[in-house]
Amino acid sequence: MESYENFLARINSFETPIMVLPNERFTVNNSLKQKVDFFNKFRPFYGDTTVFDLSDNDKSRIESINDTLYKEVPECFGERLKGNTFHITLHDLSNSTDIANIGEDMFRNEIILLKYVNSGRIPNCEITFETNNIINMVGVSLVLALKPKTKDDYEKLIGLYGITDCVKTLPYPLTPHITLAYFRHEGFSAENSERLCRIVNKLNCEKFDITVSTETLYYEKFTDMNSYHKVFSMGRKY
């Protein structure tokens, strides 16, 4: 696994306090169109994942950030995420626009993770993150990037990640974040791109901590990016 020092060097190389977008029309990543339709509504998109749920206070704070974004630059975003969906993803598992493609994988993932829970393999712990700037995540969404506050927090996080990685190994490294909003299906103008950067750069002046625990870590399934369903907590036996 990536060392704490290498992790920080990697994320800090692109999670910068000043967001800069090209001085031209913003073009979204084509993969966004799997999740957002031509009318900027969420499309059916199926899968399963492991996520840390957030406290009501943290969700309210994230909602306040979104209030600013949607008030100042609504032309940049598609359908708004519901406040109760805000979460920190520990480890992605399966996803597809066609549930038939991943039904067997999702069944397998659920069974293996439940065995881990019931075997006591998942340790109880708390992890504190600090916010590490709002950034453009690969042309798909605007996210609030996070980093574990201490090396100990990182080691607890990567320990939980390693357990889930045994279920499904991913081809990309862990980059903790909270998704704030998905971009518009068709992208947006250079003028709105400039306005978005101005707003984000102001928002990035404020930092705060978010604490989660194994008790708030869930195996969840989703049917679109606004519809997540808790299946079981990974912090207690069943």
Side-chain angles (χ1 to χ4, degrees), residues 149-183:
K149 194 170 181 68
T150 66
K151 185 175 182 179
D152 183 56
D153 287 310
Y154 175 74
E155 289 176 348
K156 288 185 285 189
L157 176 66
I158 210 69
L160 293 173
Y161 182 88
I163 292 171
T164 315
D165 202 53
C166 292
V167 179
K168 185 180 181 70
T169 300
L170 297 174
Y172 48 84
L174 173 63
T175 304
H177 64 273
I178 299 168
T179 300
L180 300 173
Y182 286 90
F183 295 130

Side-chain angles (χ1 to χ4, degrees), residues 186-202:
E186 70 277 13
F188 43 89
S189 69
E191 179 184 0
N192 286 325
S193 180
E194 182 181 353
R195 290 172 59 208
L196 175 61
C197 289
R198 271 201 313 270
I199 296 302
V200 166
N201 295 341
K202 288 180 182 178

Side-chain angles (χ1 to χ4, degrees), residues 16 30 40 44 51 71 81 90 96 134 138 141 149 151 153 155 186 192 201 206 212 215 228:
T16 57
N30 201 49
N40 291 301
V51 308
K71 177 183 177 182
L81 288 168
L90 172 65
S96 176
I134 297 170
V138 300
S141 58
K149 194 170 181 68
K151 185 175 182 179
D153 287 310
E155 289 176 348
E186 70 277 13
N192 286 325
N201 295 341
E206 184 179 2
V212 297
E215 290 185 356
Y228 284 77

Side-chain angles (χ1 to χ4, degrees), residues 103-113 166-168:
E104 290 185 8
D105 287 345
M106 289 171 63
F107 179 75
R108 171 184 170 275
N109 296 341
E110 182 176 353
I111 294 300
I112 294 175
L113 284 173
C166 292
V167 179
K168 185 180 181 70

Side-chain angles (χ1 to χ4, degrees), residues 49-52 87-92 157 174-177 228:
T49 184
T50 53
V51 308
F52 292 104
H87 62 262
I88 303 170
T89 300
L90 172 65
H91 195 295
D92 293 315
L157 176 66
L174 173 63
T175 304
H177 64 273
Y228 284 77

Side-chain angles (χ1 to χ4, degrees), residues 52 122-126 160 212-218 233-235:
F52 292 104
I122 299 174
N124 292 321
C125 61
E126 280 193 350
L160 293 173
V212 297
S213 71
T214 316
E215 290 185 356
T216 65
L217 177 60
Y218 288 88
S233 166
M234 294 175 62

